Amino acid sequence: MKNGLINVIRIALIIMLLGTVTLCALWLPSLVDYIGGLFENQDSFNNAKVLIYVACVILALPLIVVFALGFRFLPELKNDTIFHKKNARLIKIISIILFAVCAIFSLCVIGLLVLGDAILAPALLFVDAIGIIVALMLFVLSKYVENASILKEEVDATL
């Protein structure tokens, strides 16, 4: 059972990593072209094009780091040492990274709204809200894992 769960988590992390890289490679140029259509002056779009790509890289790299950090939990699950303070800190770090990415993403979506987009921006705003909720849940979970690790240490010391 435990190895099956670990393999499912490993496969999910790999799919998320590959999905992120695929989105960056295949969807990002289409997104930039779509955003370019929102600009009235194409010269100003050409100047902003590099900034758009930089913003997308700033958003993608932390997500790749988060998925990579997810692999650090697999040995902990295998060894039944998931309730440890270092894992609580790791979960908290992941939640903070997600909060930061969602904040930057919110600014990008607001930029799309300012440009007049009424199709993509609301959908991206919904995705951003989901990211904020996940980050919040991870932040709360980190506190519970920390509390569980303290209780585990006390039980281990008693035994």
Side-chain angles (χ1 to χ4, degrees):
M1 171 75 175
K2 192 185 328 178
N3 285 336
L5 176 64
I6 292 170
N7 287 333
V8 167
I9 294 170
R10 182 178 289 119
I11 289 168
L13 287 170
I14 290 169
I15 289 171
M16 295 303 290
L17 270 168
L18 291 175
T20 302
V21 171
T22 302
L23 277 174
C24 289
L26 301 178
W27 183 68
L28 185 58
S30 298
L31 174 68
V32 172
D33 289 341
Y34 174 79
I35 293 171
L38 299 174
F39 280 82
E40 292 177 10
N41 182 355
Q42 286 302 311
D43 289 333
S44 62
F45 168 66
N46 290 333
N47 294 336
K49 199 173 193 177
V50 173
L51 183 64
I52 295 168
Y53 275 111
V54 169
C56 291
V57 168
I58 288 172
L59 290 169
L61 286 178
L63 291 178
I64 291 170
V65 169
V66 164
F67 296 134
L69 287 174
F71 285 102
R72 292 182 59 188
F73 290 107
L74 299 179
E76 305 292 333
L77 284 171
K78 187 173 187 174
N79 299 329
D80 273 338
T81 56
I82 196 71
F83 296 113
H84 197 276
K85 287 182 183 178
K86 69 176 181 173
N87 293 329
R89 282 191 300 268
L90 186 59
I91 294 170
K92 187 181 254 183
I93 288 169
I94 289 171
S95 71
I96 291 169
I97 291 171
L98 287 177
F99 273 128
V101 167
C102 288
I104 295 169
F105 193 68
S106 293
L107 295 174
C108 294
V109 172
I110 290 169
L112 278 175
L113 287 169
V114 167
L115 287 172
D117 177 57
I119 297 171
L120 188 60
L124 293 178
L125 200 57
F126 180 72
V127 170
D128 191 43
I130 292 171
I132 291 169
I133 290 169
V134 169
L136 181 62
M137 291 174 69
L138 285 173
F139 192 80
V140 170
L141 179 66
S142 73
K143 188 63 177 164
Y144 281 106
V145 170
E146 183 179 0
N147 291 344
S149 72
I150 292 168
L151 288 174
K152 185 177 181 294
E153 288 175 8
E154 289 175 5
V155 168
D156 289 344
T158 304
L159 296 177

